[in-house]
Amino acid sequence: MALDTLDIGILSVVLAALIGYFAKDLIKSLLSSNDSTNVSTDSRDLVEVLNETGKKAIVFYGSQTGTAEDYAHKYAKELQTRFQVPTICCDIADYDFDKLGALPSEVDGFKFVTFFMATYGEGEPTDNAVDFFDYLDNECDSLEGLKYLVFGLGNSTYEFYNAISKRLDKKLSELGASNISVPGFGDDGTATMDEDYLAWKESIFDVLKDHLSLEEHDVKYQPSIKLIPRPDLSIENPIVSLGEPNSKYINPTTEETKNAIQYGPFDHTHPYLSPIVKSKELFNSETRHCIHAEFDFSQTNLKYSTGDHLAIWPSNSNEEVEKFLKAFNLISKRNDVIGFETLDQTVSLPFSSPITYEAIVRHHLEISGPVSRQFLQSVHQFAPTEEIKADIARISGHKEIFSKEVTEKYFNIADILVNISKGSSWDDIPFEFLIESIPHLQPRYYSISSSSLSEKQTVHVTAVVENEKPQGSDHFVTGVTTNLLRHIQLAQSKSDLKPNVTYDLDGPRNLFKPFKLPVHIRRSTFKLPTNPATPIILVGPGTGVAPFRGFIREKVKQAESGNNKIGKILLFYGSRSVNEDFLYKNEWPEYSKKLGENFELITAFSRDQKEKIYVQHRMLEYSKEINDLLQKGAFFYVCGDASRMARDVQATLVKILIAERNITEEIANNVVRGFKTSNRFQEDVW
Ligand code: FAD
């Protein structure tokens, strides 16, 4: 039967309506398996989402490396279980900010907002919080009636300790919002983040009970996701995730996904799978290692600029994966395929599904880092016996006992649980609980050690391998990414040496073969002066020299291209010993040849003589020259260890200014502050 034009018209309208009706749900369900977002509703209107979902509190996070995000999730979960306040937990960038002020009046029963805000770099907001501060500073008129709490995550070894959470608290109260209680400050610099958070949380929960009349309930795990076994699927099925970095990498059959994989755009939600074309060991030591690795971008349009950071997405080592699977009796299920249903409309999975148990453990969970006391407290409810339950309560109930029996022994989750259970596996912990309670594996950042002018399509990194047997520990403690890089380096050079731990270098469905890793570029503000004639003073001991190698390669390229007005470069480099860990030892003389007197390398090898000599000591010897260069407009750069070196270097600079300019300490500090505001003093420290 032929259809006439009218029939076709009517059918098209009906079809369009049907598509429109189902597409909304389809989009939502697709979003719920999205790789990065935590909220699955598609609206950016906070009032609308809260009214639709019945949530009465919001937890926002401004997170760069995932720590603030992790704390925010756990706190939100506890608000929900302890006080039965339906809570939404989300990235601060997920919603339009203009509805913040309307929440108390337009959402029935709305209680409060909590902010978990990390401070990044030089007292800056995290990437996802930049627009929010812009909104508060320039657009927001009033937040009258809004109740809030702030927990800041910072590092007291940095000058601008927790600057962002302090700034937020001040700004919110200036705008008329009221703080339910004083802000909490977590300090990574003293390694007390966890305890700082727990102390703040307990005090907050008391305030919530008293002032908001919230009733406290027994803390019992309430899942936000439900695991659904998928016996109908196996690892051979192309739609099953085996740990691909995100859904685009699973069975990419459309032109769109193929393009996305090759040309991006690449960011923290979608990495480029970059070949490592070259890697080498930089140390001359049997026990300590530092890897130089070169990532090839020639097959994509991904660009970087000198001074940027490379984010490497790691996976866990075979040894840690086995230990974890065994601890939770998952060895026989490792390849079983599972899917998930979200029980809370505002929560979505941080990885693609259907997926296997092993893929989640290997590629998505941070299984080998330190355990938090909070995690142990929350695991209490699943203890296999009363005796184990009592032991968990004993260890997790007191920070001193926890520190002695867990932190000082460098235990990770599998270590401590198997230690407490004396070897038996923890069969009754729901896998959903592990997914919701264990931080998700995050990319690690590396200061790029090449120059985008000289190596346009290759990104170099310089990574010191974290592998130590600390005092008090009976095992080696290994870093995830740096040991992965070392395994790649040994495999690539066909070395007979054994890596400390081993990895599945081929990746899911051989996706990482040969020698590829998922990466993205993080733009940085650590940049050379625009005028090549401006002198620069660089202080970079250890791997802190990484970006300076990039800077100097850039200068060499400029000189090779005929620029004869390169400004003076003073590079202060330090390490333990000239023969053991002098990074890029053979390259510096080459650069000197090209740059002539304009380049001077000043070294400090701390262990090559009786007294320890550090870069700060050498700086003092160059006091006059440093001051002269600064008078001529030099830029001053520090890179490397944030805990002591950066502070000591700044203090040394102040000393130099006092001595050379005959000024007071106060004025010298103001001079350095002035350098910082005019970008003439830049730090890239971690
Ligand atoms: P992780 O797995 O992150 O472990 C971190 C540390 O914890 C390790 O020392 C590890 O041994 C220890 N650890 C593991 N398990 C436990 C446990 N159970 N208990 C206690 N401790 C444990 N690094 C460089 O080498 N070069 C660079 O150029 C560089 N640039 C950086 C730039 C920026 C902006 C930032 C933020 C960091 C930079 N870093 C650099 C540091 C880098 O990002 C990583 O933190 C570092 O390489 C360690 O990563 P990992 O995955 O190997 O260790």
Side-chain angles (χ1 to χ4, degrees):
M1 189 182 69
L3 293 171
D4 67 27
T5 327
L6 184 65
D7 290 335
I8 292 172
I10 292 168
L11 268 180
S12 319
V13 172
V14 173
L15 200 63
L18 280 173
I19 290 173
Y21 180 78
F22 287 117
K24 199 172 166 240
D25 280 348
L26 182 68
I27 289 167
K28 276 194 179 180
S29 75
L30 284 177
L31 277 171
S32 70
S33 66
N34 177 303
D35 303 283
S36 62
T37 54
N38 306 102
V39 176
S40 56
T41 54
D42 41 4
S43 169
R44 288 187 57 84
D45 182 329
L46 265 174
V47 169
E48 189 181 301
V49 170
L50 262 62
N51 280 328
E52 203 179 293
T53 58
K55 303 285 183 188
K56 305 290 180 227
I58 305 177
V59 180
F60 279 126
Y61 54 84
S63 189
Q64 193 72 31
T65 57
T67 314
E69 178 178 349
D70 182 45
Y71 278 101
H73 277 295
K74 285 185 184 134
Y75 167 84
K77 193 102 196 146
E78 214 169 329
L79 273 185
Q80 212 147 270
T81 47
R82 254 207 207 199
F83 298 107
Q84 312 216 316
V85 177
T87 305
I88 186 169
C89 180
C90 50
D91 186 321
I92 189 86
D94 278 350
Y95 290 98
D96 296 331
F97 315 120
D98 56 353
K99 287 288 167 70
L100 256 183
L103 293 175
S105 56
E106 293 186 24
V107 178
D108 190 29
F110 184 76
K111 302 215 177 302
F112 58 95
V113 184
T114 311
F115 296 89
F116 279 76
M117 301 301 274
T119 296
Y120 197 64
E122 298 279 289
E124 293 148 30
T126 54
D127 291 353
N128 66 336
V130 171
D131 289 347
F132 177 56
F133 277 94
D134 194 42
Y135 168 76
L136 291 182
D137 289 341
N138 302 311
E139 286 177 52
C140 184
D141 298 326
S142 167
L143 291 176
E144 207 79 47
L146 187 74
K147 292 195 174 82
Y148 72 93
L149 287 164
V150 174
F151 184 78
L153 296 92
N155 185 319
S156 61
T157 57
Y158 287 70
E159 186 178 348
F160 303 97
Y161 173 55
N162 256 313
I164 283 304
S165 48
K166 291 175 189 165
R167 184 173 146 199
L168 176 65
D169 182 44
K170 187 161 173 271
K171 194 74 210 173
L172 292 174
S173 68
E174 279 168 11
L175 288 165
S178 52
N179 193 341
I180 300 173
S181 184
V182 288
F185 299 117
D187 186 1
D188 209 23
T190 48
T192 54
M193 182 71 77
D194 228 51
E195 290 304 335
D196 297 338
Y197 167 68
L198 288 178
W200 175 79
K201 188 190 76 177
E202 288 311 322
S203 72
I204 290 308
F205 284 174
D206 284 343
V207 174
L208 293 184
K209 277 188 280 182
D210 293 349
H211 295 294
L212 296 183
S213 309
L214 295 179
E215 221 177 287
E216 194 170 1
H217 301 258
D218 274 352
V219 180
K220 255 205 165 132
Y221 171 56
Q222 286 175 8
S224 308
I225 50 173
K226 181 172 176 231
L227 184 151
I228 301 163
R230 295 293 304 266
D232 53 315
L233 294 172
S234 76
I235 52 171
E236 270 77 42
N237 194 305
I239 66 155
V240 173
S241 169
L242 300 185
E244 285 82 353
N246 64 24
S247 56
K248 296 192 179 80
Y249 282 93
I250 303 167
N251 197 22
T253 44
T254 65
E255 273 316 299
E256 200 187 336
T257 43
K258 283 183 193 163
N259 268 332
I261 285 175
Q262 192 162 0
Y263 301 114
F266 301 108
D267 58 22
H268 64 287
T269 64
H270 180 50
Y272 174 60
L273 202 54
S274 172
I276 296 173
V277 282
K278 199 172 157 192
S279 56
K280 64 179 176 193
E281 170 68 72
L282 294 173
F283 283 177
N284 177 25
S285 161
E286 278 180 16
T287 50
R288 298 173 63 227
H289 305 282
C290 185
I291 305 302
H292 168 89
E294 301 188 359
F295 293 79
D296 177 23
F297 286 6
S298 64
Q299 301 306 308
T300 178
N301 49 4
L302 182 56
K303 300 265 181 297
Y304 76 104
S305 97
T306 311
D308 283 347
H309 300 135
L310 183 75
I312 301 182
W313 298 37
S315 51
N316 289 306
S317 70
N318 296 326
E319 290 78 355
E320 292 299 342
V321 170
E322 292 313 307
K323 194 158 69 178
F324 188 93
L325 291 174
K326 197 163 165 234
F328 298 104
N329 201 14
L330 294 169
I331 296 274
S332 60
K333 289 201 210 167
R334 63 194 310 152
N335 286 328
D336 287 5
V337 179
I338 48 183
F340 292 90
E341 191 184 300
T342 49
L343 304 174
D344 177 335
Q345 209 182 334
T346 64
V347 170
S348 75
L349 274 182
F351 44 75
S352 306
S353 79
I355 185 167
T356 63
Y357 284 96
E358 176 169 347
I360 295 174
V361 173
R362 185 180 288 280
H363 295 278
H364 298 294
L365 298 183
E366 193 80 60
I367 58 173
S368 65
V371 193
S372 70
R373 192 153 70 89
Q374 202 185 359
F375 176 82
L376 207 57
Q377 283 170 350
S378 63
V379 129
H380 178 256
Q381 57 192 304
F382 305 113
T385 65
E386 285 307 313
E387 195 189 342
I388 294 174
K389 210 173 219 176
D391 212 20
I392 291 191
R394 180 184 65 80
I395 299 172
S396 66
H398 302 274
K399 69 175 180 185
E400 291 76 19
I401 300 179
F402 180 82
S403 170
K404 202 155 162 268
E405 298 198 18
V406 183
T407 313
E408 286 172 25
K409 290 190 172 154
Y410 295 80
F411 279 157
N412 61 32
I413 287 171
D415 293 331
I416 180 62
L417 293 188
V418 171
N419 187 281
I420 293 178
S421 70
K422 305 202 171 41
S424 32
S425 63
W426 289 66
D427 304 4
D428 295 335
I429 295 193
F431 196 60
E432 293 95 325
F433 168 84
L434 296 178
I435 293 172
E436 290 197 73
S437 312
I438 298 176
H440 298 131
L441 198 50
Q442 297 287 338
R444 295 347 189 223
Y445 295 101
Y446 293 89
S447 301
I448 293 175
S449 56
S450 51
S451 146
S452 54
L453 190 65
S454 114
E455 290 82 30
K456 286 193 171 49
Q457 296 180 318
T458 320
V459 170
H460 299 182
V461 296
T462 312
V464 74
V465 179
E466 304 284 345
N467 178 49
E468 256 194 295
K469 193 169 169 199
Q471 255 190 345
S473 163
D474 58 358
H475 60 278
F476 275 87
V477 185
T478 52
V480 178
T481 318
T482 50
N483 283 285
L484 167 62
L485 288 173
R486 177 152 191 261
H487 189 187
I488 289 176
Q489 185 268 319
L490 292 175
Q492 205 161 30
S493 62
K494 298 194 170 57
S495 168
D496 294 334
L497 294 173
K498 290 231 169 322
N500 309 312
V501 279
T502 59
Y503 293 80
D504 171 19
L505 298 186
D506 293 343
R509 299 188 171 89
N510 289 333
L511 190 66
F512 299 174
K513 206 172 166 182
F515 309 121
K516 290 183 188 171
L517 284 181
V519 298
H520 72 267
I521 294 289
R522 179 172 190 271
R523 310 282 161 212
S524 134
T525 52
F526 197 69
K527 297 290 166 207
L528 277 166
T530 38
N531 182 357
T534 306
I536 52 174
I537 302 161
L538 318 170
V539 186
T543 42
V545 81
F548 301 144
R549 176 178 179 267
F551 281 11
I552 288 162
R553 290 173 81 83
E554 181 124 336
K555 296 278 179 186
V556 168
K557 188 72 186 171
Q558 286 168 347
E560 283 173 349
S561 315
N563 189 333
N564 52 13
K565 283 205 185 120
I566 304 285
K568 176 86 186 180
I569 309 160
L570 278 191
L571 168 60
F572 291 89
Y573 171 76
S575 65
R576 288 189 192 174
S577 159
V578 68
N579 292 321
E580 184 188 319
D581 55 4
F582 187 1
L583 292 175
Y584 301 110
K585 186 178 181 177
N586 301 327
E587 290 186 13
W588 308 113
E590 294 298 316
Y591 302 145
S592 282
K593 266 190 223 156
K594 302 266 171 60
L595 294 166
E597 284 179 357
N598 277 335
F599 173 51
E600 199 172 337
L601 172 69
I602 301 120
T603 53
F605 297 106
S606 61
R607 302 196 183 175
D608 280 353
Q609 60 287 307
K610 227 166 155 198
E611 318 77 49
K612 294 253 161 74
I613 298 181
Y614 296 113
V615 280
Q616 301 88 285
H617 301 121
R618 303 301 319 267
M619 279 174 67
L620 285 175
E621 290 169 27
Y622 276 71
S623 182
K624 182 171 177 335
E625 182 152 12
I626 289 175
N627 183 49
D628 287 351
L629 288 175
L630 288 171
Q631 305 271 31
K632 287 181 194 149
F635 278 40
F636 190 96
Y637 298 84
V638 190
C639 180
D641 169 43
S643 64
R644 281 214 355 241
M645 182 276 297
R647 240 183 210 196
D648 290 351
V649 166
Q650 184 171 329
T652 309
L653 181 62
V654 168
K655 253 192 213 170
I656 290 174
L657 293 174
I658 294 170
E660 298 296 327
R661 297 188 184 184
N662 202 13
I663 53 176
T664 63
E665 187 175 346
E666 194 189 343
I667 297 175
N669 275 317
N670 281 338
V671 172
V672 173
R673 230 165 270 140
F675 288 158
K676 285 191 179 181
T677 28
S678 59
N679 255 350
R680 284 182 55 203
F681 184 114
Q682 298 182 28
E683 284 181 306
D684 183 20
V685 291
W686 59 85

